Amino acid sequence: MSLNCNEINLIIEELSLDGAFIQDIIQPGFDTLALYTYKEGSAKTVLICTAQNSVRINETRRKITKNSKPLRFMEFLRSRIKGCRINRFYQIGLERVLKMELSHNQDEQFNLYIRLWNNAANVILCDENDLVLDTMFRRPDRYEVKDETFIPPAVIQEKYENADIRFPVRKWNEQLLDSNNPDFKPKSFNEFVDFWYSEFAQTLSRESLLEKAEKWYNTNLSKKESALNNLLSKKESFKNATELKHFGDLILAFGHQISPNSNFLECDDYETGKKVSIVINPKKTAQENAADYYRNYKKSLSGAQEIDHDIEIARIQIEKLNKQYEEIKNEKNPVKIEQLLRKDTTPKQKIKKNHPGLEYYDNGWTIYVGRDANENDELLRHHVRGEDLWMHVRDFPGGYVFVKAQKGKTVPLEILLDAGNLAVYYSKARNAGTTDLYYTHVKYLRRAKNGPKGLVLPTQEKNLCIKPDKNRLAKLDFLQKDSE
């Protein structure tokens, strides 16, 4: 349902914005804008949508959800026209181009143009001489960029002959016959337009968004389930860890039976009473072969412990994906659905990363983790300040962990324990059990003269003893994925 020129005039008449003030501006998406206006004790939210097949302007009483990050055009409009008085709001001829004349105490004047053409909709802010200040969509080929002159459409009276007959205002009672809510009786054309796009426009917006959501969900679920199955298969391969240790014991017990140049040790298993054949390296002694089996036993044992953590994280991610998809399916507001999809389908390579290493948001606190010397050095040089907290394990090489300071607040013990677990996990002490750490403020670190990259010497440090907690690490991994 595209609005025709006479319907736009009716909407403007019902809005009656002449003399109103713009109290706030919200941009929930790249193609949608909401102006919060106030006039003589009456507040109205004016929705402007420039999305193809959904181009419109109307008053809405629905909640306008904010974008997760402030968008460029919204911030610009807020800096220029928030608080402005709407002196006049009208359609230029019948060209579906609206002009809003604005002023700041008569000192500054602006013209806000709203073009409601299906394939070229735009919102353009100009000064009083129609010099473009900024636009919702920057289109150089149309001269809709900063410092160009916006040329409003010419008004040709001949084009408007019999316009009332050619472009009638649709009667909403007829349009609502097939509605799921036949008792709904809109009191104005604005209310009808708002209702129509939220109900009948499902095929134009919500249904297409839900199809996109289903495709996104199936693709991500397949990847995550495949990753989980790979982890479960890997866990199965670790189940013979105790067998490796037992083979090492057998090699030491029957090492005297090893034949020269033989790749196998044939002996009786004293636990089962059966004869077993154990692969060995004939170039090594019995003690060296046994040491190899013990070493592989420790690796498998360590891998089995870590794989349980990874499996738990994989299951949490699948559970989170299912919740996100349910939230999208249950959402009635297409603007909100688009926001949810935009957040979750942005390619990782397009997400701007402001610093190296990892970042966690933990109960209002931000934690940075450097995983190697380069990341440690970069974080120290450019991304932390004197009051931030630095943490590192004692007697083991590993990454630096930083807790960003908050003015007037001391880092809580729970945050220290979370940061400590991260410091242990990203160090050589990961499998060492209970580990000692030390921490201090960044301002008490000094670089080691002629030392390796990133090496620092702390002063005024405090001690912290950490027993690694898999539940904390699982929670932190979930928080990091959720923040992404």
Side-chain angles (χ1 to χ4, degrees):
M1 171 186 167
S2 295
L3 299 175
N4 64 42
C5 53
N6 289 309
E7 290 170 337
I8 290 172
N9 274 337
L10 178 56
I11 287 172
I12 293 173
E13 181 183 342
E14 290 179 352
L15 285 172
S16 183
L17 294 180
D18 291 2
F21 289 86
I22 297 177
Q23 290 190 314
D24 200 3
I25 301 156
I26 299 296
Q27 190 175 4
F30 295 104
D31 50 19
T32 311
L33 196 67
L35 303 179
Y36 288 75
T37 67
Y38 186 83
K39 176 184 177 182
E40 297 174 353
S42 174
K44 293 182 179 179
T45 303
V46 181
L47 183 70
I48 303 166
C49 182
T50 59
Q52 190 171 14
N53 297 325
S54 295
V55 176
R56 68 191 185 277
I57 182 171
N58 62 274
E59 180 186 0
T60 182
R61 298 184 182 276
R62 302 178 186 276
K63 180 179 175 63
I64 303 298
T65 54
K66 294 182 179 180
N67 198 55
S68 56
K69 292 183 180 179
L71 297 178
R72 168 193 61 81
F73 192 52
M74 179 190 76
E75 292 296 284
F76 180 81
L77 290 181
R78 281 181 168 179
S79 69
R80 294 301 186 96
I81 66 171
K82 184 176 178 180
C84 274
R85 183 181 189 275
I86 304 174
N87 298 320
R88 190 180 175 206
F89 183 43
Y90 60 97
Q91 181 179 189
I92 298 175
L94 295 177
E95 295 296 331
R96 292 180 297 157
V97 177
L98 285 58
K99 183 177 181 181
M100 187 179 288
E101 298 175 359
L102 307 166
S103 65
H104 261 309
N105 299 322
Q106 303 302 323
D107 296 330
E108 278 189 298
Q109 295 187 3
F110 303 96
N111 293 325
L112 183 70
Y113 290 96
I114 304 167
R115 187 170 59 224
L116 300 178
W117 299 352
N118 193 41
N119 293 316
N122 207 352
V123 180
I124 304 157
L125 181 65
C126 303
D127 65 11
E128 59 184 321
N129 299 314
D130 284 342
L131 188 70
V132 176
L133 301 176
D134 206 351
T135 63
M136 177 179 277
F137 300 106
R138 293 170 176 168
R139 293 175 176 142
D141 55 328
R142 289 181 174 270
Y143 304 102
E144 293 172 6
V145 290
K146 184 179 178 181
D147 295 334
E148 293 287 352
T149 299
F150 179 75
I151 303 175
V155 178
I156 304 174
Q157 294 297 334
E158 290 79 4
K159 290 173 58 178
Y160 308 144
E161 292 181 3
N162 301 319
D164 291 341
I165 299 173
R166 292 162 55 204
F167 308 112
V169 175
R170 281 161 281 196
K171 302 298 182 182
W172 54 73
N173 289 336
E174 298 173 5
Q175 295 287 340
L176 293 175
L177 289 176
D178 296 326
S179 171
N180 294 326
N181 186 7
D183 296 328
F184 175 75
K185 303 296 182 184
K187 298 177 182 178
S188 67
F189 193 69
N190 272 272
E191 193 172 348
F192 162 61
V193 171
D194 192 41
F195 175 82
W196 194 93
Y197 274 98
S198 64
E199 298 293 332
F200 290 97
Q202 303 281 323
T203 54
L204 298 178
S205 53
R206 186 170 181 271
E207 283 189 10
S208 60
L209 286 170
L210 289 180
E211 288 179 7
K212 184 179 178 181
E214 184 179 9
K215 183 179 179 180
W216 161 80
Y217 170 72
N218 290 333
T219 301
N220 280 273
L221 182 64
S222 176
K223 289 179 181 178
K224 292 183 185 300
E225 287 182 338
S226 177
L228 176 60
N229 291 333
N230 288 337
L231 290 171
L232 292 172
S233 299
K234 196 173 181 181
K235 183 178 180 180
E236 287 294 320
S237 69
F238 288 143
K239 285 187 175 180
N240 66 344
T242 54
E243 187 179 62
L244 294 172
K245 182 177 182 298
H246 184 53
F247 282 171
D249 294 340
L250 289 175
I251 291 173
L252 289 179
F254 297 100
H256 60 281
Q257 296 183 13
I258 294 177
S259 301
N261 301 321
S262 174
N263 293 321
F264 299 93
L265 167 63
E266 302 282 348
C267 64
D268 294 324
D269 188 340
Y270 50 74
E271 288 188 352
T272 63
K274 297 180 180 179
K275 188 172 287 294
V276 294
S277 180
I278 304 172
V279 177
I280 60 171
N281 186 342
K283 295 181 181 180
K284 295 183 177 181
T285 65
Q287 289 77 11
E288 289 172 337
N289 276 292
D292 287 343
Y293 273 95
Y294 291 145
R295 192 179 302 111
N296 289 333
Y297 160 71
K298 289 182 179 178
K299 286 183 179 179
S300 296
L301 201 62
S302 173
Q305 293 172 348
E306 292 179 15
I307 208 76
D308 285 337
H309 171 254
D310 293 340
I311 288 172
E312 180 64 23
I313 294 300
R315 285 175 172 157
I316 288 174
Q317 290 177 351
I318 291 175
E319 182 181 349
K320 177 193 169 190
L321 179 67
N322 289 333
K323 287 181 179 178
Q324 287 176 325
Y325 186 48
E326 285 301 315
E327 182 183 359
I328 290 173
K329 288 196 298 181
N330 294 330
E331 180 58 57
K332 302 299 183 184
N333 188 344
V335 174
K336 182 65 174 177
I337 296 176
E338 193 274 336
Q339 287 179 335
L340 293 170
L341 279 174
R342 177 157 29 95
K343 176 183 175 182
D344 290 303
T345 59
T346 303
K348 286 186 176 180
Q349 60 269 29
K350 289 189 177 181
I351 299 175
K352 185 178 179 181
K353 194 171 184 181
N354 296 321
H355 61 81
L358 302 176
E359 183 174 1
Y360 296 83
Y361 295 100
D362 187 2
N363 198 25
W365 294 82
T366 302
I367 302 174
Y368 292 165
V369 179
R371 295 163 294 183
D372 55 36
N374 290 326
E375 291 184 353
N376 292 341
D377 187 67
E378 180 68 16
L379 286 170
L380 272 170
R381 287 179 180 275
H382 303 295
H383 302 283
V384 294
R385 298 292 180 265
E387 292 301 324
D388 298 337
L389 211 61
W390 167 89
M391 184 176 290
H392 191 254
V393 296
R394 283 189 182 275
D395 305 322
F396 288 93
Y400 292 166
V401 174
F402 301 92
V403 181
K404 296 294 290 180
Q406 295 187 22
K407 189 173 182 179
K409 292 186 179 180
T410 302
V411 178
L413 178 60
E414 284 298 307
I415 304 301
L416 277 179
L417 293 175
D418 287 345
N421 272 272
L422 288 171
V424 173
Y425 186 78
Y426 290 102
S427 74
K428 294 294 184 181
R430 180 184 295 187
N431 301 312
T434 302
T435 306
D436 289 324
L437 303 95
Y438 51 170
Y439 64 94
T440 188
H441 291 291
V442 171
K443 64 184 178 182
Y444 297 130
L445 301 175
R446 63 182 179 87
R447 294 187 180 279
K449 189 175 181 180
N450 299 324
K453 190 174 189 178
L455 181 63
V456 293
L457 302 176
T459 58
Q460 301 191 36
E461 68 271 23
K462 296 180 181 179
N463 295 316
L464 184 67
C465 187
I466 287 289
K467 184 176 182 180
D469 186 339
K470 292 180 181 178
N471 292 329
R472 283 186 184 274
L473 291 170
K475 178 197 73 171
L476 288 164
D477 258 338
F478 176 77
L479 288 174
Q480 188 206 24
K481 298 295 187 302
D482 190 49
S483 67
E484 293 174 355

